[in-house]
Amino acid sequence: MLYVLHTIRLLSPAALFRLASAINQYGVNLMTLLNFAARTYGQKIAIVDEREMLTYNQLFAQSEELSIVFRDRYQLGSGKKAGLICKNHASLVKAIYAVSLSGADLYLLNAEMSETQFNNILERHDFDLLVLDEDRSELLEQSSYKKSAIWSYHDTLPAINNLSSISSYKKRKRYRNSTSKLVLLTGGTTGKAKEAAHQPSLFNYLNPFYDFLLRLKILNYDTAYIATPIYHGYGAAVLLLFCALGKKVVIHRGFDAENACRLIREHQVEVVTVVPLMLHKMLKTNASDLKSLACIASGGAQLNPKLVKETRDQLGDVLYNLYGTSEAGLNIIATPQDLAYSANTIGRKIKGVLLQIVDNNKEEVEFDRIGQLCIKNRWSMRNETATWIETGDLGYRDKHGYYFLCGRSDSMIVSAGENVYPLEVEQVLLSHPHIEDAAVIGIPDEHFGERLKAIVHLAPHADTTEEALIQWLRPRLARFQLPKEIIFVDHLPYTLLGKMDRKLLK
């Protein structure tokens, strides 16, 4: 632990004083981290979006002022709840720190949720304040929500961008608390959201913090672009990490491949967070704009082996694969060298992670046997009663300590008494030179109980038939893995977080 603190320059007398002073003034919350960053990095650029560029001093001052507005005007404090429905922009970043300082629990909500999903969340959570983008005004209009709301940006109405019109800010005694929790709602676009609450704690997060720094060589770089949504746990974690390190973080309201390539070129971005679909689109749009990248941190969805090879061929050994969940946080990392060992691996577990692979009877299986990944660590969610967190992901560990995913537990089918994992068949299909993308689902079968159906998107100008693909698959798959049917489509459905939308597939 001392080596970790030394590596991130927290062991010098001056750094320890700044950290102790921040904790003494603000308690243990996210604003404590930002205060330490402002004291340490001051005039360095912290956040850049399409509207503004803020130094660490400016970001801290404006976030602290916003927190006073939240407490004085909107009565936020311990025991209260604030929901943020925002895309990536500076106002969202300010609100994250401000809510945490107020003592209220901070809920990062999916900015793309439907009215039905929003109303379902309101039934379970009595929010005291909502911060939302103006283009989501229909959520309020069509809901039963009657409490306070503030816009992220607005020309005339109370909004974070016009603090002077809503704030009676004066220098006053600082607030101090250690009660705020950061709450993520998983499954926000495709199903009923599940809560994952995390309590800010420097020491609990040292292991994932350090492994992320070490394996991805983050200390070597100065500028990062968070292309993934901050309301997703992955984006939020990287934002907070880079704040602690004094890096410049580039963000943008939404992802567009052409714009993303431009941002990377203009800011000479060295580190970017993506889901695989984003990386695929950027490489297809303008790979030459990505030459400054030294670290592409991919997470949130399974990597396509073709994408691994394409990235290596065009940009070199810069691709990293991160595995984590909203409940359990970051747990496994694959470096470029790990991906050279196998393009399908999610890597090796990080220090401090206890990981079991168990069968249906909750018994741990041997290596190379498939089971459910169950995780225990110090930085997992705090609102679970069980010691081990069941991820719902199926996978296995090989004899060299590398982990591999085989899909979700609810995607496995039983065909003629055999367990069949659609992801394994997908990975074989994706190795075909004429296939751009593929998905495999289970369908009812009169004789086998269930069989597989493959949905295939061919590469541009490629041509093949169902019969030809079945013949190609025969020597590569077991008989019970062969799809009963293969259909061809122009595109496959993905969620806004870059995951295959299997509900739409079915």
Side-chain angles (χ1 to χ4, degrees):
M1 183 175 296
L2 291 178
Y3 181 61
V4 178
L5 294 173
H6 175 73
T7 302
I8 59 178
R9 297 186 285 273
L10 274 179
L11 278 185
S12 71
L16 288 172
F17 175 80
R18 288 192 294 269
L19 181 61
S21 179
I23 293 173
N24 181 60
Q25 290 182 0
Y26 296 99
V28 179
N29 57 69
L30 299 181
M31 187 68 87
T32 310
L33 175 68
L34 182 56
N35 178 258
F36 170 80
R39 290 167 177 261
T40 305
Y41 310 112
Q43 295 305 314
K44 287 188 66 175
I45 300 300
I47 292 289
V48 179
D49 70 3
E50 58 266 46
R51 285 175 176 258
E52 55 189 322
M53 179 183 295
L54 297 170
T55 67
Y56 277 95
N57 282 338
Q58 290 170 327
L59 178 61
F60 169 72
Q62 293 180 28
S63 299
E64 185 181 38
E65 180 178 359
L66 180 61
S67 184
I68 292 174
V69 172
F70 284 166
R71 289 183 67 105
D72 289 357
R73 179 160 180 165
Y74 299 101
Q75 287 76 55
L76 273 194
S78 298
K80 300 295 184 70
K81 295 181 178 181
L84 277 53
I85 312 173
C86 301
K87 295 181 179 178
N88 291 9
H89 47 62
S91 282
L92 170 61
V93 176
K94 297 172 194 176
I96 288 172
Y97 289 115
V99 170
S100 185
L101 178 58
S102 77
D105 288 341
L106 166 64
Y107 286 72
L108 292 178
L109 305 178
N110 193 312
E112 306 290 349
M113 75 176 82
S114 69
E115 293 175 11
T116 299
Q117 290 161 344
F118 179 60
N119 287 327
N120 287 339
I121 290 173
L122 288 182
E123 289 178 3
R124 291 181 289 122
H125 297 283
D126 184 20
F127 292 110
D128 299 284
L129 175 68
L130 291 177
V131 179
L132 67 167
D133 293 337
E134 185 182 359
D135 61 5
R136 299 316 317 267
S137 60
E138 80 284 353
L139 289 180
L140 291 183
E141 295 167 0
Q142 303 297 325
S143 75
S144 59
Y145 183 76
K146 301 300 180 185
K147 292 188 177 181
S148 298
I150 184 173
W151 303 112
S152 57
Y153 294 94
H154 204 282
D155 292 334
T156 56
L157 295 176
I160 292 173
N161 68 297
N162 55 39
L163 275 178
S164 58
S165 66
I166 60 174
S167 173
S168 57
Y169 175 72
K170 296 178 183 178
K171 202 70 176 177
R172 65 187 78 184
K173 182 179 178 180
R174 291 183 173 93
Y175 298 106
R176 186 181 190 279
N177 83 82
S178 302
T179 62
S180 178
K181 295 192 296 290
L182 175 61
V183 184
L184 306 172
L185 297 183
T186 66
T189 56
T190 59
K192 185 176 180 179
K194 176 182 176 182
E195 272 192 40
H198 297 265
Q199 187 79 38
S201 170
L202 171 65
F203 293 101
N204 282 347
Y205 288 89
L206 278 180
N207 281 327
F209 186 59
Y210 178 64
D211 268 54
F212 188 86
L213 293 183
L214 183 67
R215 297 199 201 181
L216 277 65
K217 305 174 184 176
I218 296 299
L219 292 177
N220 296 341
Y221 313 125
D222 294 317
T223 303
Y225 167 40
I226 300 179
T228 49
I230 291 173
Y231 61 74
H232 192 261
Y234 179 30
V238 174
L239 170 70
L240 299 174
L241 169 66
F242 277 74
C243 171
L245 297 173
K247 308 296 186 182
K248 181 172 84 171
V249 174
V250 179
I251 53 178
H252 197 274
R253 274 179 172 265
F255 177 82
D256 170 81
E258 185 174 348
N259 182 62
C261 290
R262 177 187 61 80
L263 288 172
I264 290 170
R265 183 190 70 249
E266 288 183 358
H267 293 279
Q268 286 297 286
V269 170
E270 298 152 295
V271 182
V272 63
T273 67
V274 296
V275 296
L277 184 61
M278 291 176 173
L279 177 57
H280 171 75
K281 290 181 176 180
M282 289 193 294
L283 286 173
K284 295 294 184 186
T285 299
N286 195 342
S288 63
D289 279 351
L290 310 180
K291 296 299 184 183
S292 64
L293 292 175
C295 173
I296 300 173
S298 176
Q302 183 75 10
L303 267 177
N304 181 336
K306 279 186 179 177
L307 182 58
V308 174
K309 183 179 186 302
E310 184 180 1
T311 304
R312 183 184 297 117
D313 291 345
Q314 297 199 48
L315 302 176
D317 288 330
V318 298
L319 181 59
Y320 296 77
N321 193 14
L322 280 59
Y323 172 81
T325 70
S326 297
E327 297 92 341
L330 176 64
N331 292 279
I332 302 173
I333 297 175
T335 66
Q337 293 70 37
D338 296 332
L339 293 172
Y341 167 81
S342 171
N344 290 322
T345 187
I346 56 174
R348 300 172 185 263
K349 66 180 183 178
I350 67 178
K351 186 177 180 181
V353 171
L354 297 177
L355 200 159
Q356 290 185 347
I357 299 178
V358 302
D359 59 20
N360 291 335
N361 297 319
K362 308 302 181 185
E363 296 291 332
E364 191 167 7
V365 302
E366 298 177 353
F367 67 84
D368 288 335
R369 292 281 306 278
I370 296 173
Q372 181 180 189
L373 276 63
C374 297
I375 292 170
K376 184 199 298 186
N377 61 48
R378 293 183 62 184
W379 54 92
S380 62
M381 60 188 286
R382 294 303 183 88
N383 57 347
E384 281 279 2
T385 55
T387 303
W388 289 87
I389 292 177
E390 297 182 0
T391 65
D393 290 322
L394 296 173
Y396 65 93
R397 177 180 62 86
D398 73 7
K399 62 183 179 181
H400 299 294
Y402 287 96
Y403 288 86
F404 297 81
L405 290 181
C406 297
R408 297 286 296 170
S409 57
D410 56 5
S411 70
M412 186 195 79
I413 72 166
V414 179
S415 182
E418 298 282 356
N419 292 343
V420 184
Y421 306 95
L423 181 59
E424 292 184 324
V425 182
E426 289 174 5
Q427 290 172 341
V428 174
L429 282 168
L430 289 170
S431 69
H432 191 286
H434 293 164
I435 293 179
E436 178 87 2
D437 203 359
V440 176
I441 59 175
I443 56 174
D445 183 86
E446 180 180 355
H447 302 290
F448 292 85
E450 286 182 288
R451 292 284 300 278
L452 294 180
K453 176 179 179 179
I455 301 97
V456 170
H457 174 208
L458 292 176
H461 313 300
D463 187 28
T464 190
T465 65
E466 180 180 13
E467 293 76 15
L469 274 184
I470 291 291
Q471 290 303 316
W472 183 85
L473 286 171
R474 285 189 189 282
R476 294 170 172 84
L477 294 173
R479 186 175 61 85
F480 58 82
Q481 291 178 306
L482 284 173
K484 178 182 181 181
E485 177 185 0
I486 298 177
I487 65 170
F488 299 93
V489 296
D490 293 332
H491 68 277
L492 287 166
Y494 283 85
T495 69
L496 290 163
L497 292 178
K499 293 186 178 183
M500 187 73 71
D501 193 331
R502 296 190 181 274
K503 288 191 174 182
L504 280 181
L505 282 177
K506 292 181 179 181

